[in-house]
PDB file of all heavy atoms in Angstrom:
ATOM      1  N   PRO A 269      33.038  27.797  29.960  1.00 88.00           N
ATOM      2  CA  PRO A 269      34.052  28.783  29.596  1.00 88.00           C
ATOM      3  C   PRO A 269      35.320  28.157  29.005  1.00 88.00           C
ATOM      4  O   PRO A 269      36.035  28.811  28.261  1.00 88.00           O
ATOM      5  CB  PRO A 269      34.363  29.460  30.938  1.00 88.00           C
ATOM      6  CG  PRO A 269      34.017  28.439  31.967  1.00 88.00           C
ATOM      7  CD  PRO A 269      32.883  27.649  31.409  1.00 88.00           C
ATOM      8  N   ILE A 270      35.582  26.874  29.377  1.00 92.00           N
ATOM      9  CA  ILE A 270      36.730  26.218  28.719  1.00 92.00           C
ATOM     10  C   ILE A 270      36.264  24.926  28.079  1.00 92.00           C
ATOM     11  O   ILE A 270      35.276  24.309  28.500  1.00 92.00           O
ATOM     12  CB  ILE A 270      37.888  25.926  29.717  1.00 92.00           C
ATOM     13  CG1 ILE A 270      37.361  25.219  30.973  1.00 92.00           C
ATOM     14  CG2 ILE A 270      38.680  27.175  30.060  1.00 92.00           C
ATOM     15  CD1 ILE A 270      38.435  24.535  31.781  1.00 92.00           C
ATOM     16  N   ARG A 271      36.986  24.510  27.079  1.00 91.00           N
ATOM     17  CA  ARG A 271      36.651  23.313  26.335  1.00 91.00           C
ATOM     18  C   ARG A 271      37.010  22.080  27.153  1.00 91.00           C
ATOM     19  O   ARG A 271      38.140  21.933  27.615  1.00 91.00           O
ATOM     20  CB  ARG A 271      37.485  23.331  25.060  1.00 91.00           C
ATOM     21  CG  ARG A 271      36.828  22.760  23.866  1.00 91.00           C
ATOM     22  CD  ARG A 271      37.810  22.865  22.722  1.00 91.00           C
ATOM     23  NE  ARG A 271      37.923  21.558  22.106  1.00 91.00           N
ATOM     24  CZ  ARG A 271      37.115  21.158  21.143  1.00 91.00           C
ATOM     25  NH1 ARG A 271      36.174  21.955  20.685  1.00 91.00           N
ATOM     26  NH2 ARG A 271      37.239  19.958  20.627  1.00 91.00           N
ATOM     27  N   GLN A 272      36.020  21.187  27.357  1.00 91.00           N
ATOM     28  CA  GLN A 272      36.246  19.985  28.169  1.00 91.00           C
ATOM     29  C   GLN A 272      36.584  18.821  27.243  1.00 91.00           C
ATOM     30  O   GLN A 272      35.733  18.021  26.892  1.00 91.00           O
ATOM     31  CB  GLN A 272      34.983  19.684  28.991  1.00 91.00           C
ATOM     32  CG  GLN A 272      34.475  20.831  29.832  1.00 91.00           C
ATOM     33  CD  GLN A 272      35.392  21.145  30.995  1.00 91.00           C
ATOM     34  OE1 GLN A 272      36.281  20.370  31.357  1.00 91.00           O
ATOM     35  NE2 GLN A 272      35.214  22.320  31.586  1.00 91.00           N
ATOM     36  N   GLU A 273      37.866  18.715  26.880  1.00 92.00           N
ATOM     37  CA  GLU A 273      38.298  17.695  25.915  1.00 92.00           C
ATOM     38  C   GLU A 273      37.953  16.274  26.377  1.00 92.00           C
ATOM     39  O   GLU A 273      37.494  15.454  25.593  1.00 92.00           O
ATOM     40  CB  GLU A 273      39.809  17.794  25.673  1.00 92.00           C
ATOM     41  CG  GLU A 273      40.261  19.046  24.925  1.00 92.00           C
ATOM     42  CD  GLU A 273      39.774  19.124  23.480  1.00 92.00           C
ATOM     43  OE1 GLU A 273      39.213  18.138  22.956  1.00 92.00           O
ATOM     44  OE2 GLU A 273      39.949  20.202  22.886  1.00 92.00           O
ATOM     45  N   ALA A 274      38.181  16.015  27.676  1.00 92.00           N
ATOM     46  CA  ALA A 274      37.972  14.652  28.180  1.00 92.00           C
ATOM     47  C   ALA A 274      36.505  14.239  28.042  1.00 92.00           C
ATOM     48  O   ALA A 274      36.207  13.105  27.654  1.00 92.00           O
ATOM     49  CB  ALA A 274      38.404  14.576  29.641  1.00 92.00           C
ATOM     50  N   GLU A 275      35.573  15.177  28.337  1.00 92.00           N
ATOM     51  CA  GLU A 275      34.151  14.865  28.245  1.00 92.00           C
ATOM     52  C   GLU A 275      33.711  14.684  26.797  1.00 92.00           C
ATOM     53  O   GLU A 275      32.935  13.780  26.479  1.00 92.00           O
ATOM     54  CB  GLU A 275      33.321  15.964  28.929  1.00 92.00           C
ATOM     55  CG  GLU A 275      33.496  16.028  30.431  1.00 92.00           C
ATOM     56  CD  GLU A 275      33.137  14.726  31.129  1.00 92.00           C
ATOM     57  OE1 GLU A 275      32.045  14.194  30.876  1.00 92.00           O
ATOM     58  OE2 GLU A 275      33.953  14.232  31.922  1.00 92.00           O
ATOM     59  N   ILE A 276      34.226  15.543  25.903  1.00 93.00           N
ATOM     60  CA  ILE A 276      33.878  15.402  24.481  1.00 93.00           C
ATOM     61  C   ILE A 276      34.400  14.062  23.956  1.00 93.00           C
ATOM     62  O   ILE A 276      33.717  13.371  23.196  1.00 93.00           O
ATOM     63  CB  ILE A 276      34.439  16.594  23.666  1.00 93.00           C
ATOM     64  CG1 ILE A 276      33.787  17.894  24.137  1.00 93.00           C
ATOM     65  CG2 ILE A 276      34.194  16.394  22.176  1.00 93.00           C
ATOM     66  CD1 ILE A 276      34.431  19.152  23.593  1.00 93.00           C
ATOM     67  N   ALA A 277      35.594  13.663  24.435  1.00 94.00           N
ATOM     68  CA  ALA A 277      36.160  12.370  24.011  1.00 94.00           C
ATOM     69  C   ALA A 277      35.275  11.215  24.466  1.00 94.00           C
ATOM     70  O   ALA A 277      35.110  10.224  23.743  1.00 94.00           O
ATOM     71  CB  ALA A 277      37.571  12.218  24.565  1.00 94.00           C
ATOM     72  N   LYS A 278      34.676  11.339  25.658  1.00 94.00           N
ATOM     73  CA  LYS A 278      33.787  10.261  26.147  1.00 94.00           C
ATOM     74  C   LYS A 278      32.557  10.133  25.255  1.00 94.00           C
ATOM     75  O   LYS A 278      32.086   9.031  24.983  1.00 94.00           O
ATOM     76  CB  LYS A 278      33.344  10.557  27.589  1.00 94.00           C
ATOM     77  CG  LYS A 278      34.403  10.246  28.630  1.00 94.00           C
ATOM     78  CD  LYS A 278      33.823  10.497  30.018  1.00 94.00           C
ATOM     79  CE  LYS A 278      34.918  10.701  31.045  1.00 94.00           C
ATOM     80  NZ  LYS A 278      34.393  11.235  32.307  1.00 94.00           N
ATOM     81  N   ILE A 279      32.015  11.291  24.821  1.00 94.00           N
ATOM     82  CA  ILE A 279      30.827  11.254  23.948  1.00 94.00           C
ATOM     83  C   ILE A 279      31.213  10.710  22.572  1.00 94.00           C
ATOM     84  O   ILE A 279      30.471   9.934  21.965  1.00 94.00           O
ATOM     85  CB  ILE A 279      30.175  12.648  23.856  1.00 94.00           C
ATOM     86  CG1 ILE A 279      29.703  13.076  25.249  1.00 94.00           C
ATOM     87  CG2 ILE A 279      28.991  12.636  22.886  1.00 94.00           C
ATOM     88  CD1 ILE A 279      29.203  14.488  25.338  1.00 94.00           C
ATOM     89  N   GLN A 280      32.425  11.084  22.111  1.00 94.00           N
ATOM     90  CA  GLN A 280      32.911  10.537  20.837  1.00 94.00           C
ATOM     91  C   GLN A 280      33.037   9.018  20.939  1.00 94.00           C
ATOM     92  O   GLN A 280      32.723   8.288  19.990  1.00 94.00           O
ATOM     93  CB  GLN A 280      34.259  11.175  20.469  1.00 94.00           C
ATOM     94  CG  GLN A 280      34.806  10.754  19.109  1.00 94.00           C
ATOM     95  CD  GLN A 280      33.906  11.185  17.961  1.00 94.00           C
ATOM     96  OE1 GLN A 280      33.589  12.360  17.810  1.00 94.00           O
ATOM     97  NE2 GLN A 280      33.453  10.222  17.163  1.00 94.00           N
ATOM     98  N   ALA A 281      33.462   8.535  22.121  1.00 95.00           N
ATOM     99  CA  ALA A 281      33.603   7.083  22.316  1.00 95.00           C
ATOM    100  C   ALA A 281      32.249   6.380  22.206  1.00 95.00           C
ATOM    101  O   ALA A 281      32.170   5.259  21.690  1.00 95.00           O
ATOM    102  CB  ALA A 281      34.250   6.798  23.669  1.00 95.00           C
ATOM    103  N   ILE A 282      31.164   7.054  22.679  1.00 95.00           N
ATOM    104  CA  ILE A 282      29.814   6.481  22.556  1.00 95.00           C
ATOM    105  C   ILE A 282      29.450   6.334  21.072  1.00 95.00           C
ATOM    106  O   ILE A 282      28.947   5.294  20.633  1.00 95.00           O
ATOM    107  CB  ILE A 282      28.776   7.366  23.291  1.00 95.00           C
ATOM    108  CG1 ILE A 282      29.055   7.365  24.794  1.00 95.00           C
ATOM    109  CG2 ILE A 282      27.352   6.891  23.005  1.00 95.00           C
ATOM    110  CD1 ILE A 282      28.215   8.361  25.592  1.00 95.00           C
ATOM    111  N   ALA A 283      29.756   7.401  20.294  1.00 94.00           N
ATOM    112  CA  ALA A 283      29.468   7.353  18.852  1.00 94.00           C
ATOM    113  C   ALA A 283      30.300   6.276  18.166  1.00 94.00           C
ATOM    114  O   ALA A 283      29.793   5.537  17.312  1.00 94.00           O
ATOM    115  CB  ALA A 283      29.738   8.724  18.219  1.00 94.00           C
ATOM    116  N   ASP A 284      31.580   6.158  18.570  1.00 94.00           N
ATOM    117  CA  ASP A 284      32.450   5.131  17.978  1.00 94.00           C
ATOM    118  C   ASP A 284      31.922   3.725  18.280  1.00 94.00           C
ATOM    119  O   ASP A 284      31.931   2.849  17.408  1.00 94.00           O
ATOM    120  CB  ASP A 284      33.882   5.266  18.514  1.00 94.00           C
ATOM    121  CG  ASP A 284      34.556   6.560  18.057  1.00 94.00           C
ATOM    122  OD1 ASP A 284      34.029   7.198  17.114  1.00 94.00           O
ATOM    123  OD2 ASP A 284      35.588   6.942  18.647  1.00 94.00           O
ATOM    124  N   ALA A 285      31.449   3.543  19.529  1.00 94.00           N
ATOM    125  CA  ALA A 285      30.910   2.234  19.911  1.00 94.00           C
ATOM    126  C   ALA A 285      29.664   1.905  19.093  1.00 94.00           C
ATOM    127  O   ALA A 285      29.500   0.779  18.620  1.00 94.00           O
ATOM    128  CB  ALA A 285      30.586   2.219  21.399  1.00 94.00           C
ATOM    129  N   ASN A 286      28.791   2.909  18.884  1.00 94.00           N
ATOM    130  CA  ASN A 286      27.602   2.711  18.028  1.00 94.00           C
ATOM    131  C   ASN A 286      28.021   2.308  16.623  1.00 94.00           C
ATOM    132  O   ASN A 286      27.438   1.413  16.023  1.00 94.00           O
ATOM    133  CB  ASN A 286      26.791   4.010  17.928  1.00 94.00           C
ATOM    134  CG  ASN A 286      25.965   4.271  19.164  1.00 94.00           C
ATOM    135  OD1 ASN A 286      25.685   3.356  19.921  1.00 94.00           O
ATOM    136  ND2 ASN A 286      25.584   5.526  19.365  1.00 94.00           N
ATOM    137  N   ALA A 287      29.040   3.004  16.103  1.00 93.00           N
ATOM    138  CA  ALA A 287      29.477   2.760  14.726  1.00 93.00           C
ATOM    139  C   ALA A 287      30.001   1.349  14.553  1.00 93.00           C
ATOM    140  O   ALA A 287      29.682   0.670  13.569  1.00 93.00           O
ATOM    141  CB  ALA A 287      30.531   3.780  14.322  1.00 93.00           C
ATOM    142  N   SER A 288      30.793   0.875  15.528  1.00 93.00           N
ATOM    143  CA  SER A 288      31.338  -0.474  15.344  1.00 93.00           C
ATOM    144  C   SER A 288      30.261  -1.529  15.614  1.00 93.00           C
ATOM    145  O   SER A 288      30.226  -2.570  14.959  1.00 93.00           O
ATOM    146  CB  SER A 288      32.565  -0.694  16.233  1.00 93.00           C
ATOM    147  OG  SER A 288      32.196  -0.631  17.580  1.00 93.00           O
ATOM    148  N   ARG A 289      29.342  -1.237  16.523  1.00 93.00           N
ATOM    149  CA  ARG A 289      28.296  -2.210  16.844  1.00 93.00           C
ATOM    150  C   ARG A 289      27.325  -2.419  15.681  1.00 93.00           C
ATOM    151  O   ARG A 289      26.916  -3.543  15.392  1.00 93.00           O
ATOM    152  CB  ARG A 289      27.533  -1.698  18.059  1.00 93.00           C
ATOM    153  CG  ARG A 289      26.459  -2.641  18.539  1.00 93.00           C
ATOM    154  CD  ARG A 289      25.833  -2.039  19.764  1.00 93.00           C
ATOM    155  NE  ARG A 289      24.841  -2.893  20.330  1.00 93.00           N
ATOM    156  CZ  ARG A 289      24.079  -2.529  21.353  1.00 93.00           C
ATOM    157  NH1 ARG A 289      24.233  -1.349  21.903  1.00 93.00           N
ATOM    158  NH2 ARG A 289      23.165  -3.343  21.830  1.00 93.00           N
ATOM    159  N   TYR A 290      26.917  -1.310  15.047  1.00 93.00           N
ATOM    160  CA  TYR A 290      25.928  -1.425  13.975  1.00 93.00           C
ATOM    161  C   TYR A 290      26.554  -1.334  12.575  1.00 93.00           C
ATOM    162  O   TYR A 290      25.847  -1.411  11.583  1.00 93.00           O
ATOM    163  CB  TYR A 290      24.860  -0.327  14.126  1.00 93.00           C
ATOM    164  CG  TYR A 290      24.022  -0.498  15.363  1.00 93.00           C
ATOM    165  CD1 TYR A 290      24.188   0.323  16.465  1.00 93.00           C
ATOM    166  CD2 TYR A 290      23.069  -1.512  15.429  1.00 93.00           C
ATOM    167  CE1 TYR A 290      23.431   0.158  17.609  1.00 93.00           C
ATOM    168  CE2 TYR A 290      22.305  -1.692  16.571  1.00 93.00           C
ATOM    169  CZ  TYR A 290      22.490  -0.850  17.658  1.00 93.00           C
ATOM    170  OH  TYR A 290      21.733  -1.028  18.788  1.00 93.00           O
ATOM    171  N   GLY A 291      27.877  -1.122  12.497  1.00 91.00           N
ATOM    172  CA  GLY A 291      28.517  -0.991  11.193  1.00 91.00           C
ATOM    173  C   GLY A 291      28.032   0.240  10.452  1.00 91.00           C
ATOM    174  O   GLY A 291      27.601   0.161   9.301  1.00 91.00           O
ATOM    175  N   LEU A 292      28.096   1.395  11.120  1.00 91.00           N
ATOM    176  CA  LEU A 292      27.523   2.620  10.538  1.00 91.00           C
ATOM    177  C   LEU A 292      28.393   3.218   9.439  1.00 91.00           C
ATOM    178  O   LEU A 292      27.904   3.894   8.548  1.00 91.00           O
ATOM    179  CB  LEU A 292      27.340   3.687  11.631  1.00 91.00           C
ATOM    180  CG  LEU A 292      26.329   3.415  12.736  1.00 91.00           C
ATOM    181  CD1 LEU A 292      26.318   4.575  13.715  1.00 91.00           C
ATOM    182  CD2 LEU A 292      24.934   3.232  12.166  1.00 91.00           C
ATOM    183  N   ASP A 293      29.720   2.986   9.542  1.00 90.00           N
ATOM    184  CA  ASP A 293      30.635   3.722   8.652  1.00 90.00           C
ATOM    185  C   ASP A 293      30.572   3.232   7.216  1.00 90.00           C
ATOM    186  O   ASP A 293      30.650   2.042   6.945  1.00 90.00           O
ATOM    187  CB  ASP A 293      32.068   3.600   9.173  1.00 90.00           C
ATOM    188  CG  ASP A 293      32.265   4.429  10.427  1.00 90.00           C
ATOM    189  OD1 ASP A 293      31.663   5.517  10.506  1.00 90.00           O
ATOM    190  OD2 ASP A 293      33.012   3.990  11.325  1.00 90.00           O
ATOM    191  N   LEU A 294      30.445   4.206   6.303  1.00 88.00           N
ATOM    192  CA  LEU A 294      30.546   3.918   4.882  1.00 88.00           C
ATOM    193  C   LEU A 294      32.024   3.769   4.563  1.00 88.00           C
ATOM    194  O   LEU A 294      32.838   4.580   4.996  1.00 88.00           O
ATOM    195  CB  LEU A 294      30.006   5.090   4.073  1.00 88.00           C
ATOM    196  CG  LEU A 294      28.569   5.057   3.604  1.00 88.00           C
ATOM    197  CD1 LEU A 294      28.272   6.367   2.896  1.00 88.00           C
ATOM    198  CD2 LEU A 294      28.325   3.905   2.664  1.00 88.00           C
ATOM    199  N   LYS A 295      32.361   2.745   3.792  1.00 81.00           N
ATOM    200  CA  LYS A 295      33.779   2.624   3.399  1.00 81.00           C
ATOM    201  C   LYS A 295      34.050   3.587   2.248  1.00 81.00           C
ATOM    202  O   LYS A 295      33.324   3.601   1.263  1.00 81.00           O
ATOM    203  CB  LYS A 295      34.067   1.191   2.978  1.00 81.00           C
ATOM    204  CG  LYS A 295      33.968   0.242   4.168  1.00 81.00           C
ATOM    205  CD  LYS A 295      34.750  -1.030   3.951  1.00 81.00           C
ATOM    206  CE  LYS A 295      34.672  -1.922   5.169  1.00 81.00           C
ATOM    207  NZ  LYS A 295      33.395  -2.622   5.297  1.00 81.00           N
ATOM    208  N   PRO A 296      35.108   4.428   2.368  1.00 75.00           N
ATOM    209  CA  PRO A 296      35.378   5.376   1.281  1.00 75.00           C
ATOM    210  C   PRO A 296      35.769   4.653  -0.010  1.00 75.00           C
ATOM    211  O   PRO A 296      36.403   3.604   0.030  1.00 75.00           O
ATOM    212  CB  PRO A 296      36.542   6.212   1.825  1.00 75.00           C
ATOM    213  CG  PRO A 296      37.107   5.438   2.962  1.00 75.00           C
ATOM    214  CD  PRO A 296      36.062   4.537   3.478  1.00 75.00           C
TER     215      PRO A 296
END
Side-chain angles (χ1 to χ4, degrees):
Chain A
I270 50 162
R271 215 180 129 88
Q272 306 290 346
E273 291 294 351
E275 292 302 309
I276 297 170
K278 282 183 201 167
I279 298 173
Q280 184 63 56
I282 295 172
D284 293 345
N286 283 339
S288 64
R289 183 178 183 185
Y290 294 106
L292 294 179
D293 288 324
L294 265 177
K295 293 203 178 76

